[in-house]
Every structure is written in C-alpha cells, then in structure tokens.
Amino acid sequence: MAAASRSGPPAGEVEAVAAAWMLEFACCCLCRRFGDGCAAEFQRWSDVAHALINGLSKIPTHQKKAVYLCQLLIRIAKGKKLECHFENDKRISPLESALSFWTLLEREEVELEKLHKDIHQLIQIQIVAVYMENGYFKEASEVLERLFTDSESDKPLRMKLATVIKSKDPYVPLLQSFSYNVLISKIKSYIELFMKENETNFLLQAATKQVESQGLGATALQSTTVNADENDKENLEAKQRLMKEQHSITDQSPGDVRNPTVRPRSGGKLRGRTVLQSLNSLQNMEKHGNALASIRKRQRWTYKEDLKLKSGVKEFGVGNWAKILVYGDFNNRTSVMLKDRWRTLCKIQQG
C-alpha cells in the first residue's frame, strides 16, 4: 500500500488536469488574437485549440464555455469563406455552424440576455448577407428556412430578411446597418467579459510570474554589477584566484600540494588571500547560505497564509498545490510546503 501511495496519482488523471490548463490557456490566447486582429497568430492558436478539443473524449462541465467559444471564434473568423466547411452537411456555411455554438453558449449563461440576443440576430443576418454578397440568392432563401422557427419573436426579422432576399440587393440598409464589422465588434465585447471572468487562468498567471521574476532578476543583476563596491570586487577576485590556484595545484606533484603558494601580483605586493584563507571564506559563505535556507524552511505559517491556503483548496481542490501556490501568491513557499501545511491544518481540525 505504501509503494502505491508513493507512485502518485494515475498518469491519465494528471494528463487530464494538464490538458484542461492547456485548453483554458489556448482559449485565452485565441480570444486575445481575435481581439487584436492578428490573423497569423489567431490561426496558430486555432490549430492548438482544435487539437486539444479533438483530444477530449468528453467535455467537462466547467470547460464547456471555453470549448464552445473556441469553436465559435474559429468559425466566425472564416465566416465569409463559403468554400470552408465545418460540418458534414456541405450546405452549412461557417456562420451557420457558428450560430449552433453561439446557441450552446447562450444556454451556459443567463445574465447577458441583451448581448446574447444582439449577437444571435447579427449572426442570422450575416448568414444571409454573405450568401447574397456572393450572388447565391437561392441558398440565401434555403438557409432562411433553416434559421427561423415559427415563433412570434422570430417573425419580424424573418419577414425583413425574406424581403431583402427578394430584392437581390446585398447593399440594402438592413444589411449595411447590421454588417459583418458590427458582428465582430459585438463578439469582441463578449470576449472582453469572458476574459475578465477568466483572469485567474493558471498557466497565464504562472507564465506572468516567471517573466516578471526573470525581468526583476535581470534588473537586480544589472544594478548589482553597476553598483558593486570594492569588497564585492575583491571577493570576486579572490574566488577567481582560488580557481586558478586549484588548477595549478592539480598540476603539481603530490609533494608540492602540502605547501601551495600564491605568486605576488605585478609590483611585488601580495594582495588577496592564501588558498587556505580563500577556502575558509567560501566555506563560510556556503554555511551562511545553508543557514538562510534553513531559516526559510522553518518560517512560521501566518494566519493570513492559512486563509489563502484554505481559499485555494476551496477554489481548486486538494492536490492542486502548484495551482494554489500561484493563486495564493505565497512568499517563500513551495508546493510541498503547501501540502504539508494542509495536512497539519486537517490534523488540527480533527483534534
């Protein structure tokens, strides 16, 4: 039993969690690229999202919105290309396919009713408009029958679009007022709301922290180099001399190793330390570093940290320590420390 527990969770479960993070990250990147209009980058992330979605045997409930949104954006981006097909039925245009995913998204949330309705009608109008712009008036009439039900709420728009199709004029005021650009603008508004809800994306947060730490590290290193005092320089020189001396000792015979000497620098003066002194200095530095590491390990858990840990477990569940570590923004903690502290808290609560 002990060996089984040390082996960790099943690989399939671990991969599923990682794939979920990747899908959420791909969705965020896809939204950003749709918003900034970078076609090449959008296509690259479309391919990534498509591959991840195809790898799902079942869509987890908490990821439905991300999957539906990716599918929607991919189809909206190809909306004017009637030669592009996403469905087995070749009559279904990219925008008509997009409408089906927008309908699924509408079912996942109820608080954006006005925006939902606006986007729904804009997609319907543009499905007809794209056919008309390409001179496919018969197809425009056929799609009208598929788009609308017999409900009274749909009737006004259906009647208007039927009149537009009969006119065979793709530049009528209705189609110009509710153009493809207006549709894109509304989709971007929806994306902004989605992104605000998903600011806590784990991979984005982890990557942001990594980049920030690297940037701060580089700045600190540059500052240290520019403002280094003479003591720092002497320590560096002593370390360099020690390395050279160690190489020269290695080249000497065994009898010579007992009395290593340091040659005087130019000018005859002996600045710096003997090999033994330098070794003692480096050993002291190592001991000091180990002491700091020891202090870090013994750092007491504060009440605030415990609250952040509990909040993280509530948000992501027990076991997602790496995700909780980023979420809680803990200072000088590791995932293992979080896991150990959680065990301690559980024991305290049970006691």
Side-chain angles (χ1 to χ4, degrees):
M1 291 294 290
S5 62
R6 284 197 299 268
S7 64
E13 293 182 14
V14 174
E15 290 172 2
V17 172
W21 290 345
M22 291 165 64
L23 178 57
E24 291 169 5
F25 177 65
C27 183
C28 287
C29 292
L30 200 62
C31 288
R32 290 180 189 277
R33 295 300 170 249
F34 187 92
D36 62 27
C38 183
E41 284 296 303
F42 180 83
Q43 184 58 53
R44 185 164 72 90
W45 284 109
S46 294
D47 294 339
V48 173
H50 190 69
L52 290 168
I53 292 169
N54 284 346
L56 295 173
S57 57
K58 181 182 178 183
I59 302 175
T61 302
H62 69 282
Q63 286 193 300
K64 284 184 177 180
K65 281 180 66 174
V67 171
Y68 297 157
L69 183 54
C70 287
Q71 299 283 34
L72 173 81
L73 295 183
I74 291 170
R75 286 155 174 76
I76 292 289
K78 300 287 187 181
K80 291 206 170 189
K81 298 184 178 181
L82 294 176
E83 70 278 6
C84 184
H85 301 288
F86 292 93
E87 311 293 340
N88 292 330
D89 187 345
K90 302 303 180 185
R91 297 177 303 165
I92 307 298
S93 68
L95 282 179
E96 192 174 351
S97 180
L99 183 62
S100 64
F101 282 100
W102 179 250
T103 303
L104 291 172
L105 270 172
E106 289 179 288
R107 294 173 185 170
E108 293 297 315
E109 51 194 7
V110 293
E111 69 276 11
L112 301 174
E113 186 176 350
K114 178 65 169 64
L115 183 59
H116 285 164
K117 184 178 179 181
D118 288 347
I119 293 177
H120 194 108
Q121 290 187 341
L122 278 164
I123 296 176
Q124 288 176 321
I125 292 169
Q126 280 306 303
I127 290 171
V128 172
V130 170
Y131 275 120
M132 291 187 64
E133 287 170 8
N134 287 274
Y136 299 134
F137 303 109
K138 179 184 176 183
E139 287 78 2
S141 296
E142 291 173 352
V143 78
L144 195 64
E145 297 298 321
R146 296 196 298 270
L147 288 178
F148 294 95
T149 62
D150 293 328
S151 67
E152 289 298 316
S153 60
D154 290 337
K155 192 172 181 180
L157 181 57
R158 178 176 181 170
M159 295 292 290
K160 288 178 182 179
L161 288 174
T163 302
V164 168
I165 294 171
K166 285 181 181 178
S167 73
K168 295 187 178 181
D169 182 4
Y171 303 104
V172 295
L174 175 67
L175 301 186
Q176 294 302 301
S177 299
F178 300 97
S179 66
Y180 199 79
N181 288 336
V182 175
L183 169 61
I184 297 297
S185 177
K186 286 285 186 179
I187 295 288
K188 287 180 179 180
S189 298
Y190 177 81
I191 286 173
E192 289 177 7
L193 296 173
F194 177 85
M195 293 293 285
K196 285 180 181 178
E197 291 179 5
N198 292 270
E199 287 177 338
T200 57
N201 175 263
F202 171 65
L203 284 184
L204 278 176
Q205 282 192 335
T208 300
K209 284 182 176 292
Q210 178 70 14
V211 171
E212 286 176 349
S213 66
Q214 288 177 343
L216 290 173
T219 304
L221 179 61
Q222 185 180 18
S223 175
T224 303
T225 304
V226 172
N227 298 311
D229 57 24
E230 289 299 317
N231 289 332
D232 291 332
K233 290 180 181 178
E234 286 183 7
N235 288 338
L236 178 61
E237 289 171 359
K239 190 172 182 180
Q240 290 173 340
R241 286 197 299 275
L242 173 61
M243 296 299 293
K244 290 179 181 177
E245 289 153 7
Q246 286 174 327
H247 286 303
S248 65
I249 290 171
T250 306
D251 294 336
Q252 293 173 357
S253 64
D256 294 328
V257 176
R258 294 181 183 178
N259 297 299
T261 58
V262 181
R263 292 185 179 182
R265 302 177 76 184
S266 59
K269 278 192 174 183
L270 184 62
R271 291 182 61 193
R273 303 183 177 108
T274 64
V275 176
L276 181 59
Q277 287 175 319
S278 296
L279 281 171
N280 289 336
S281 176
L282 287 174
Q283 287 171 351
N284 289 334
M285 289 171 65
E286 289 173 0
K287 288 178 182 178
H288 181 64
N290 291 336
L292 288 176
S294 175
I295 291 171
R296 175 181 169 183
K297 289 179 182 177
R298 295 197 304 270
Q299 183 179 340
R300 287 182 175 275
W301 280 81
T302 64
Y303 176 71
K304 188 176 179 181
E305 284 181 309
D306 284 345
L307 286 180
K308 288 195 289 187
L309 177 57
K310 291 175 182 177
S311 176
V313 170
K314 184 178 179 181
E315 180 74 19
F316 302 106
V318 176
N320 292 315
W321 306 119
K323 203 167 186 177
I324 294 169
L325 183 66
V326 176
Y327 168 81
D329 194 21
F330 292 91
N331 184 33
N332 288 333
R333 300 294 185 190
T334 65
S335 301
V336 174
M337 290 178 182
L338 264 61
K339 180 179 70 173
D340 292 342
R341 181 58 180 172
W342 180 251
R343 286 177 179 173
T344 302
L345 291 176
C346 289
K347 289 178 182 177
I348 293 172
Q349 189 174 2
Q350 291 171 0

